[in-house]
Amino acid sequence: MRALVVVGARPNFMKVAPVLAALRGAGWEALLLHTGQHYDAAMSDAFFADLSIPPPDFHLGVGSASHASQTARIMEAFEPVLLATRPDWLVVVGDVNSTLACALVAAKLKEETGCRTAHVEAGLRSHDWRMPEEVNRVLTDRLSDLLLTPGPDALPNLLAEGIPANRVAFVGNVMIDTLFAQLSRARAADVPGRLGVERGRYALVTLHRPSNVDDPAALENVLEALAAVAEEMPVVFPVHPRTRRRAEAAGLHAHLARLCVLEPLGYRDMLSLTDGAAVVLTDSGGLQEETTALGVPCVTLRERTERPVTITHGTNRLAPFPLTPSGVYGAFREALAAGRAEPGSRCPAGWDGRAAERIVHAMESASTPGRPPRRLTVADFVS
Ligand code: UD1
């Protein structure tokens, strides 16, 4: 069996690493394609190195552009690769533009190629159609043949959209496979120590959503809140290139100067910092899950989350919306008071380091002629 696995942007790499290894371990021919949506060494190469991902078999080199241009460029460049490689399965992960673009090409060519699409991290919904990722999530799920869900909240979302249950397999959270596999090396890297901050006594921040950084007033609000946090403890802030550009354009350098600002970090260094933080403040999707797995309190700087299980089971909370300096600071204080939980103790079902194994199993079972994919349940995860 041949699979063509797609990556494009930073949050894809840690999801694909265990899937690629599990497919190859099970005897699949697994080809890797990088769209080039993210291209800076810190946003891409560092993850390949940290996660020992082999160099991609194909690199489309599309780079940055408007949503429409980026999506269209990926589609145009991806079509000939799909036609030339004719895999049995296309594997797409997450909710970035690369995910949707490749799933759409495969759906258009399905009659011709027979290639089916498996979507890893299917069924998450913020119900906020203004988020580009929500558009990508809904459309990718509609286009895919096998929907591999990470947690218990995904299946009801898919059923509500009329997707038949036999296209869905609950496999668990593959990003957590990578987290547990890398945790001891991340701790040994001791990034807090190298930065001179004390484990459990600093806040860690990430910020890159257009809703927080593209509007200067919104960005200023969040940076003011961070300045209040910085009065109490060091605030470590690896800055996404988009955020740095926006802050510079809005003349907000002075706000950044009060924080411990870093370039974007590789996977292991970021995990080392997350694991050691007193509180994480973020608008990332992945960090909401990583903090839940690690038992670190998290404040999500968004109106809604597509990962509500991190609030109901985990260590996450939403800052009051619209974001204000006092609202964000208040949420930080609450998170700090809640304190850390034992790593692994707040993990939802299927966040156990074995999701990639179950993904391969679900793909194999869906590949057997005449046999519908077996519905996996939580019972499958009890070892
Ligand atoms: C993308 C994803 C988002 C994910 C985020 C993680 C979509 C719609 N969004 O957002 O879901 O959380 O990645 O980072 O796919 N840039 C660089 N170097 C790079 C990549 C980007 O400088 O290697 C800058 C460029 O100015 C670019 C901007 O960042 O225009 C935005 O990049 P883009 O890939 O469009 O979206 P992200 O904001 O990174």
Side-chain angles (χ1 to χ4, degrees), residues 344-376:
S345 66
R346 305 288 280 273
C347 280
W351 294 29
D352 58 356
R354 293 177 51 201
E357 214 182 288
R358 290 186 290 263
I359 286 171
V360 176
H361 176 86
M363 288 171 66
E364 285 179 345
S365 116
S367 304
T368 310
R371 195 167 135 212
R374 188 168 67 90
R375 278 282 300 285
L376 295 174

Side-chain angles (χ1 to χ4, degrees), residues 11 37-40 64 67 96-97 133 208 240-242 245:
Q37 177 175 342
H38 283 177
Y39 44 85
D40 282 351
S64 299
H67 284 278
V96 302
N97 287 342
E133 293 80 4
H208 73 280
H240 188 290
R242 172 193 202 109
R245 271 178 214 148

Side-chain angles (χ1 to χ4, degrees), residues 31 73 83 89 109 153 178 213 274 278 285 343:
L31 302 170
R73 279 185 206 163
L83 285 169
W89 285 95
L109 289 175
D153 34 15
T178 299
V213 307
T274 308

Side-chain angles (χ1 to χ4, degrees), residues 8-12 36-44 63-67 70-71 95-99 131-133 136-137 208-210 213 240-243 245-246 283-286 302:
R10 187 167 64 171
N12 295 159
Q37 177 175 342
H38 283 177
Y39 44 85
D40 282 351
M43 301 290 284
S44 177
S64 299
S66 69
H67 284 278
Q70 187 176 59
T71 307
D95 56 15
V96 302
N97 287 342
S98 302
T99 311
M131 279 183 83
E133 293 80 4
N136 294 343
R137 287 189 277 262
H208 73 280
R209 295 274 155 214
V213 307
H240 188 290
R242 172 193 202 109
T243 308
R245 271 178 214 148
R246 296 292 180 173
D283 58 10
S284 145
R302 282 164 44 182

Side-chain angles (χ1 to χ4, degrees), residues 242-324:
R242 172 193 202 109
T243 308
R244 188 181 286 279
R245 271 178 214 148
R246 296 292 180 173
E248 278 163 12
L252 294 168
H253 319 62
H255 291 69
L256 287 179
R258 297 178 221 165
L259 314 174
C260 172
V261 169
L262 308 175
E263 291 299 313
L265 296 172
Y267 180 80
R268 214 175 282 156
D269 286 355
M270 187 63 191
L271 179 56
S272 177
L273 274 176
T274 308
D275 176 56
V279 175
V280 171
L281 299 106
T282 188
D283 58 10
S284 145
L287 261 175
Q288 296 172 51
E289 296 183 339
E290 289 164 338
T291 47
T292 276
L294 292 166
V296 174
C298 179
V299 175
T300 293
L301 304 171
R302 282 164 44 182
E303 187 174 6
R304 295 193 181 98
T305 177
E306 66 285 349
R307 291 160 162 95
V309 74
T310 59
I311 296 178
T312 53
H313 292 59
T315 55
N316 190 20
R317 70 191 62 231
L318 290 174
F321 205 86
L323 301 180
T324 59

